[in-house]
Amino acid sequence: MHRNMRTTHDVMTLLDDLFAPEAHRWTADSASWWDDFYGDRSKPVPFFVDKPDESLVSYADRELITPGRALDLGCGPGRNTLALASLGFDVDAIDLSPAAIAWAEERAQVSGIEARFHCGDAFVLTSGEVGGAGGAELAGPYDLIHDSGCFHHLPPHRRISYLALLDRCLRPGGHFALTCFAAGEGGMGSELPDAELYRQGSLGGGLAYTSEELRDIFSVSGLTEIELRRMRDEAPGSPVFGESFLWTALFRKAPRP
């Protein structure tokens, strides 16, 4: 059937397919790619460390965020998930990769910290379009939605899906915390214009953003900036993770009148 474009989902799926599998992190087609990525735990990948983002710890220390219900998007091996749980948050964490979820669950078991790990597509599992407890569990509302490393792997059209997720699942008055690639870091993330990404069919390992771009994107969802800065570099022996090629940002959703 050649004329099968009827819904926004159909359009999104078509655009997803223009990219290599690693670009659509949330789809079943890319699960095996990410399983391979997480398969060798000894690789020198900065994000494999078992310690939380310095920014997340800083938000808690300054009481910019306080315990409540949290969703950790693209949780990977669970380093920030477990930090949130240890801070008193009731945490749902989601990643597409079974290998990443298995690693996160192992870390949770060793630490004795409890969190709920879900393997699947965050856009589907938070949309209410799937049956069963899994969909209901991730329906929100959440007091905090946290993302360290997922957003910058989304192709441009999926920003629409991402903003819809925030609108659906973040409680009025709740917070959104983001860590993503910063532009101007000598190749750590692609700085190509959106249209060129479609021509090349690649995200170049992830998208790098300017501070102005992040402000423009998230102001559309009615989010107010609390803090937006470069992540602090942290020494290898530090109890927290920090690399200055990343932005860290905290936004707040407007409370109900």
Side-chain angles (χ1 to χ4, degrees):
M1 188 173 183
H2 301 293
R3 306 288 182 240
N4 57 355
M5 202 70 59
R6 296 184 181 86
T7 67
T8 301
H9 174 76
D10 294 335
V11 175
M12 291 292 187
T13 301
L14 173 67
L15 293 173
D16 289 344
D17 290 342
L18 297 178
F19 289 91
E22 65 270 25
H24 27 106
R25 180 172 184 158
W26 56 92
T27 68
D29 289 342
S30 62
S32 61
W33 192 95
W34 287 101
D35 275 348
D36 290 342
F37 178 79
Y38 287 112
D40 180 3
R41 300 181 183 182
S42 66
K43 285 189 299 188
V45 176
F47 314 105
F48 282 7
V49 295
D50 191 8
K51 49 190 178 182
D53 288 355
E54 62 82 5
S55 50
L56 180 61
V57 174
S58 173
Y59 300 151
D61 287 347
R62 289 179 286 156
E63 298 185 344
L64 297 178
I65 58 173
T66 54
R69 194 167 178 230
L71 175 64
D72 192 13
L73 293 172
C75 66
R79 60 190 183 86
N80 287 300
T81 305
L82 299 181
L84 285 166
S86 70
L87 290 168
F89 284 87
D90 178 29
V91 190
D92 285 310
I94 184 167
D95 200 283
L96 180 72
S97 166
I101 293 295
W103 191 357
E105 289 177 333
E106 288 175 27
R107 284 179 167 177
Q109 186 173 17
V110 169
S111 68
I113 298 173
E114 293 186 1
R116 291 178 296 277
F117 293 98
H118 307 263
C119 188
D121 177 344
F123 296 143
V124 172
L125 292 180
T126 61
S127 70
E129 295 174 2
V130 292
E137 270 186 274
L138 295 182
Y142 291 98
D143 301 288
L144 173 69
I145 294 180
H146 176 266
D147 174 356
S148 182
C150 182
F151 177 72
H152 59 218
H153 286 295
L154 302 182
H157 61 279
R158 282 294 178 176
R159 292 179 204 133
I160 299 168
S161 305
Y162 194 94
L163 293 174
L165 185 157
L166 294 178
D167 184 61
R168 252 188 338 262
C169 297
L170 186 59
R171 187 188 305 277
H175 290 87
F176 166 57
L178 175 69
T179 300
C180 71
F181 290 149
E185 287 299 319
M188 184 57 72
S190 173
E191 298 182 35
L192 291 175
D194 285 349
E196 186 60 29
L197 299 172
Y198 289 94
R199 295 186 187 100
Q200 295 193 8
S202 172
L203 300 184
L207 303 185
Y209 289 87
T210 67
S211 57
E212 293 79 10
E213 287 168 339
L214 293 177
R215 290 184 175 108
D216 287 346
I217 289 166
F218 293 109
S219 65
V220 170
S221 285
L223 298 174
T224 300
E225 177 187 331
I226 304 299
E227 180 173 285
L228 175 55
R229 62 172 173 84
R230 288 296 182 93
M231 180 176 267
R232 291 192 296 269
D233 277 314
E234 295 288 337
S238 171
V240 293
F241 168 84
E243 294 282 357
S244 61
F245 59 77
L246 298 165
W247 288 119
T248 65
L250 183 67
F251 296 89
R252 184 170 184 255
K253 187 175 182 177
R256 287 197 178 96

